[in-house]
Amino acid sequence: MIVRKKTEGFNLAFLDIMSCGLGAVVLVFMLVKHNVNDSSVEFENLKNDIDKLEVIKEESIQKLKSIEEQLIKESATEVISKKNLEASQSVLAQGLADTAKSVEEIEKIKSEIKDIKVKKKEDLVETKQINEESYLLGLKVEGKKIAILVDSSASMTNEKLIDIIKTKSSSDQDKQRAKKWIRTKKIVEWLLARLPNDSDVLVVSFNEKATLLGAQGWMKANTPNSVDSVLSDLNKLIPEGATNLQIGLDTINKYSPSNLYLITDGLPTKGESSYKSLNPFAKCSSLLGKSSTISGECRVKLFQQTITESGKTGMHVDVILLPIEGDPDAVNQFWYWTAISKGLVISPANDWP
């Protein structure tokens, strides 16, 4: 029997190791760059790329900071806007609440007004004026016994003297249609329409004589028929003649009124006294029957004498003074007279009433 020689395992392992080592050397040789001169160029390229990336990084960081700052500002603005919005919403809510409360109160007041029973005051005279007041610059129709004294002299037709003179020679219809006289009648209507229901009224016209209009004496203010009769008589009057305030005052003094409303346009031109015996009138030839005209000075003296003799004390006097040319002292003299009774002198606008 042949005895075989054993194979040594060490030898095979050695060869394997050597082969692996040779393969590793070949692999290293393949991986190692043989062109050493090109390595520096690639290094520079890599360095340039790194520098560019650094620049881009810095720019990105700056942009990021800018964005962060903008976000912070916008955030602060948003917070302020939010606070303003909240404040506005609060004011709006309060306003809505107040409005709702006001509407509720208004509805309550409306309801209360509907429940109020108002006694309707009907005008005794129907007038065309709309939204007119019951008074004029403090002038209010009041009193228990009210006398209305209406100047119906020739001067009550126009404002200018030349027009007054022309109207004197015209027909009675033209005199009654004169603008100033129509206005005078409207003023009487205005006063009558506002008489207190519990008062008595007396209406007197005057020029060279005095005339009671309507009933002969006191009339109840709440009686339309009596007032209609006054207006009917007033429409029949023809404005003419001189202005004798004294005869008008003497007539109403017989009835002892508590309140007097005088409608005129100036100082009187005629009186009732015996002026020949009065020294102040020595130069007033018209009052002595020697002239057809009267000066302003004599008219003032005549008015003062009239008030002294016939201006009843204790009577509340209000004067509605219409305009006329050439009588500048009228307003002062009437003011002195009305001031004694704490009355008024009213010179209303041309479009009233």
Side-chain angles (χ1 to χ4, degrees):
M1 178 176 198
I2 299 173
V3 181
R4 294 183 179 182
K5 187 179 180 178
K6 285 185 177 182
T7 303
E8 293 294 332
F10 172 78
N11 293 332
L12 181 59
F14 181 76
L15 290 174
D16 291 336
I17 291 169
M18 291 300 294
S19 297
C20 289
L22 181 61
V25 171
V26 172
L27 180 61
V28 169
F29 183 80
M30 292 176 65
L31 294 174
V32 173
K33 187 179 280 188
H34 299 283
N35 190 1
V36 180
N37 294 329
D38 294 338
S39 62
S40 60
V41 175
E42 292 185 2
F43 178 77
E44 287 298 325
N45 291 335
L46 289 173
K47 185 177 179 181
N48 290 334
D49 291 340
I50 291 172
D51 291 339
K52 290 179 180 180
L53 291 174
E54 287 293 335
V55 172
I56 293 172
K57 176 183 176 183
E58 290 297 326
E59 291 177 351
S60 300
I61 291 173
Q62 293 299 324
K63 288 182 179 179
L64 181 60
K65 288 182 179 180
S66 177
I67 292 171
E68 288 177 348
E69 291 176 355
Q70 186 66 28
L71 288 174
I72 292 172
K73 290 181 180 179
E74 292 179 355
S75 178
T77 303
E78 183 181 359
V79 171
I80 295 173
S81 301
K82 186 177 180 181
K83 289 182 179 179
N84 292 337
L85 178 60
E86 291 175 352
S88 299
Q89 289 175 340
S90 177
V91 172
L92 178 60
Q94 184 62 41
L96 292 174
D98 293 341
T99 301
K101 185 177 179 181
S102 299
V103 170
E104 183 179 352
E105 291 177 353
I106 291 172
E107 292 300 325
K108 183 179 179 182
I109 292 173
K110 286 182 179 179
S111 177
E112 293 175 352
I113 291 175
K114 289 180 180 178
D115 295 335
I116 296 175
K117 295 182 179 180
V118 181
K119 184 178 179 181
K120 185 178 180 181
K121 181 182 183 302
E122 297 183 355
D123 282 353
L124 296 176
V125 181
E126 183 179 356
T127 54
K128 296 181 180 179
Q129 286 80 4
I130 300 174
N131 296 330
E132 57 185 349
E133 299 291 348
S134 297
Y135 54 88
L136 172 67
L137 300 177
L139 177 66
K140 189 174 182 180
V141 184
E142 56 187 354
K144 290 293 184 180
K145 291 187 176 297
I146 300 173
I148 300 175
L149 193 56
V150 186
D151 185 351
S152 58
S153 63
S155 65
M156 295 297 286
T157 56
N158 293 284
E159 295 181 16
K160 295 184 178 181
L161 296 179
I162 185 65
D163 294 329
I164 294 172
I165 294 172
K166 290 179 180 179
T167 307
K168 282 184 178 181
S169 59
S170 61
S171 66
D172 291 344
Q173 290 76 16
D174 289 337
K175 293 175 183 177
Q176 290 177 324
R177 287 194 295 264
K179 184 177 180 181
K180 188 173 174 182
W181 179 242
I182 292 174
R183 184 185 183 193
T184 301
K185 292 192 291 184
K186 287 183 178 180
I187 293 173
V188 176
E189 292 179 2
W190 189 92
L191 293 172
L192 291 174
R194 279 143 196 85
L195 293 171
N197 284 329
D198 58 348
S199 65
D200 295 329
V201 63
L202 178 74
V203 182
V204 176
S205 69
F206 70 95
N207 43 27
E208 296 181 25
K209 61 181 181 179
T211 304
L212 279 169
L213 304 182
Q216 298 299 306
W218 290 111
M219 297 173 290
K220 291 294 182 183
N222 57 2
T223 306
N225 292 335
S226 298
V227 175
D228 290 341
S229 66
V230 171
L231 296 179
S232 177
D233 289 346
L234 181 64
N235 287 327
K236 297 175 184 177
L237 288 178
I238 300 172
E240 57 186 0
T243 307
N244 190 339
L245 175 61
Q246 188 168 13
I247 198 171
L249 290 174
D250 288 342
T251 301
I252 66 167
N253 284 339
K254 297 175 184 178
Y255 298 90
S256 301
S258 61
N259 296 73
L260 170 63
Y261 294 87
L262 171 62
I263 306 168
T264 186
D265 62 351
L267 298 175
T269 58
K270 191 173 181 180
E272 292 296 299
S273 295
S274 178
Y275 298 102
K276 290 182 180 180
S277 62
L278 300 175
N279 290 332
F281 298 96
K283 295 182 180 181
C284 297
S285 56
S286 61
L287 298 176
L288 305 179
K290 299 178 182 179
S291 175
S292 60
T293 60
I294 183 170
S295 65
E297 181 182 357
C298 288
R299 294 183 72 179
V300 171
K301 291 179 180 180
L302 176 59
F303 175 79
Q304 293 173 348
Q305 185 69 24
T306 297
I307 298 305
T308 300
E309 295 179 2
S310 304
K312 177 186 173 184
T313 58
M315 178 175 59
H316 186 94
V317 181
D318 292 306
V319 176
I320 299 175
L321 187 63
L322 299 181
I324 188 173
E325 186 179 59
D327 197 6
D329 296 315
V331 64
N332 293 332
Q333 295 301 319
F334 279 114
W335 184 86
Y336 290 136
W337 180 34
T338 57
I340 297 173
S341 65
K342 297 182 180 180
L344 296 173
V345 177
I346 302 297
S347 185
N350 291 330
D351 59 351
W352 182 87

